[in-house]
Amino acid sequence: MYFPYLHGMQKEMLALRQSVPLLAADACVQPVIEPVRHVLASLTHTLQACEDEGLPVWMVVNPMLQEFDGVGAAPALSWGRHLMASIQPRKHLCPTLLLHGGVTLEVVRLFAQSFAGQVVGVVMAEEPPSLMHLYDALKGLHVGRVFLKSGPCSTALRERLAPVPVVWVEPLDASMPEALKRVGLGGFLQERRFFSDAVSRYREVGGPGFSDYTCLPSLPYPGSGPTGCFHLSFHQIGGPMDRALCLEFFVAERQFPPQRLAEARFVRALQQFHQALDRRDACFGPTEAVRRFVACHIRGVPPTQALARQWQLMHHLELVSGLLSGRFPPR
């Protein structure tokens, strides 16, 4: 099972919402969402879509990042309780408590009272030993998963939390290499980078699943990001990285008039992407997002940078889901 860790940003929610029917049918992906924005509209619509399609979601109800920074654990939980109450019915959304140094026993008890009788999740944002007194206050609840953000699970902690499955949220690097951001005149650069082998490895080691921050950075982009480029995940076939998930970056050179620089570079990047689809050592799907990128290449009209990032996540979720369900690579 794959547990992609998302931050409730609009591009993430749009990508997830458009992927819900397929992800629910494959039954191999269960998103974890820790919001960084107060705004409820896009998040609520996405959660309702997941509930309607039967896609399990682990929803952090007391977030602490960005707009929730400094709010306090109790007000954040009130926000999360209001959010969960707006989704009806609620059979597939799992309220998830984020444990960190700012959480009090009173907050934990209020969470337990609010969601008694439901499957709940726990995210440990710091080293587990300092949080175990808070976790112990959840006795009596049906804890379905514990997610660790501070590092992999030790044998002692796994035994301590048994029989609850423990999943490490692996902080993988999905950022664009600095060298590609500085591409100058007269050259087109592509870079392929190993991302993760958990898609094939987690079953071999008998784990309950794997988690990471997807093909997007572990924190939301501070700005619009570099223009005229994009990257996509692919499944390596053969070679030293056989069966691993890799990233390929497509970046065009800066040789066009400034007024059409980003669009022209993106068109060039789409050309290189289209050629990469013919490689026999890589499986890009085909996913719905790949089809959309190809359509842009055929029309010669690139998507906006925001839309490209949304499609990147759509592609990543569908590709991993397809790999786990056996739909990819195509037979």
Side-chain angles (χ1 to χ4, degrees), residues 227-247:
T227 58
C229 57
F230 65 101
H231 68 270
L232 290 176
S233 50
F234 69 91
H235 186 241
Q236 177 68 35
I237 301 174
M241 295 189 294
D242 183 41
R243 298 192 301 156
L245 202 63
C246 301
L247 301 178

Side-chain angles (χ1 to χ4, degrees), residues 22-191:
L22 185 146
L23 299 181
D26 282 348
C28 295
V29 174
Q30 296 183 8
V32 184
I33 304 177
E34 180 189 345
V36 297
R37 297 283 186 267
H38 294 154
V39 179
L40 288 173
S42 184
L43 177 59
T44 301
H45 292 159
T46 301
L47 292 178
Q48 190 65 63
C50 293
E51 175 65 31
D52 294 343
E53 293 287 343
L55 177 66
V57 174
W58 303 86
M59 179 65 216
V60 173
V61 293
N62 62 323
M64 59 177 288
L65 296 175
Q66 292 198 10
E67 291 186 359
F68 293 96
D69 183 22
V71 168
L77 179 58
S78 296
W79 175 91
R81 293 168 67 200
H82 171 71
L83 169 65
M84 296 300 280
S86 68
I87 309 297
Q88 297 295 335
R90 198 171 67 235
K91 298 180 179 179
H92 304 283
L93 303 184
C94 304
T96 300
L97 182 66
L98 180 67
L99 295 182
H100 55 85
V103 173
T104 63
L105 282 172
E106 287 72 22
V107 169
V108 176
R109 291 172 182 142
L110 180 57
F111 173 86
Q113 293 169 4
S114 301
F115 303 109
Q118 303 178 45
V119 177
V120 302
V122 172
V123 175
M124 293 189 175
E126 300 169 8
E127 291 295 331
S130 65
L131 303 173
M132 292 310 297
H133 69 291
L134 297 172
Y135 181 83
D136 289 340
L138 295 172
K139 288 181 178 177
L141 288 184
H142 181 188
V143 179
R145 288 285 188 285
V146 172
F147 300 95
L148 303 181
K149 296 180 70 174
S150 61
C153 185
S154 66
T155 300
L157 179 62
R158 197 177 304 278
E159 293 175 350
R160 169 75 169 74
L161 296 176
V164 178
V166 183
V167 179
W168 175 33
V169 185
E170 195 170 359
L172 304 175
D173 183 13
S175 60
M176 173 167 288
E178 288 297 322
L180 294 189
K181 295 179 183 179
R182 299 190 296 269
V183 175
L185 298 176
F188 179 93
L189 291 183
Q190 289 171 253
E191 179 167 318

Side-chain angles (χ1 to χ4, degrees), residues 260-280:
R260 54 188 293 265
L261 174 62
E263 180 177 343
R265 293 184 74 205
F266 214 130
V267 170
R268 286 275 289 150
L270 285 170
Q271 291 174 355
Q272 297 298 321
F273 158 70
H274 196 248
Q275 294 174 12
L277 294 179
D278 293 330
R279 296 207 321 265
R280 293 188 176 183

